Amino acid sequence: MLDLDRVFGRPAAKILEIGFGMGETTALIAAAHPENDYLGIEVHTPGVGSLLKEIGERGLTNLRIIQHDAVPFWRDMIPAAALSGVHIFSPIPGPRSASRSAA
Ligand SMILES: C[S@@+](CC[C@H](N)C(=O)[O-])C[C@H]1O[C@@H](n2cnc3c(N)ncnc32)[C@H](O)[C@@H]1O
């Protein structure tokens, strides 16, 4: 299980976003709410790269990314009680893998 306060280096509200796509909305929300910490999970490699670029250019310290299937992540790696909220925008349900997504 992840210790999210340790990952972000502070106690703050933690919001998980599942399937952030290219991450434009994720970056805007994180920039608008520096009081919260945001953890985005996505399998799509171009989206991960795009959001990493945004994080660097905007200097965001309250946004982290995991490239992984959200289904086992949710089941095994995240203590749901540690989250203040979950964002899911325009979801496509079902298990995905990085290689399948990139094909
Ligand atoms: C329709 S797109 C929406 C992207 C973004 N939320 C938006 O509103 O523009 C759905 C996204 O969810 C991701 N996704 C779908 N299933 C996933 C899973 N099991 N784990 C991680 N990401 C997933 C896809 O790769 C895709 O980028």
Side-chain angles (χ1 to χ4, degrees), residues 4 12-16 35-38 79-87:
L4 293 177
K14 303 292 187 285
I15 314 289
L16 174 69
E35 74 278 13
N36 296 332
D37 290 331
Y38 294 90
L83 297 173
S84 296
V86 178
H87 291 171

Side-chain angles (χ1 to χ4, degrees), residues 17-26 41-44 68-72 88-97 101:
E17 181 175 352
I18 298 174
F20 55 75
M22 297 304 284
E24 305 99 325
T25 307
T26 314
I41 183 162
E42 175 58 68
V43 291
H44 186 54
H68 203 281
D69 182 347
V71 175
I88 306 175
F89 304 126
S90 307
I92 301 172
R96 302 275 289 251
S97 69
S101 175

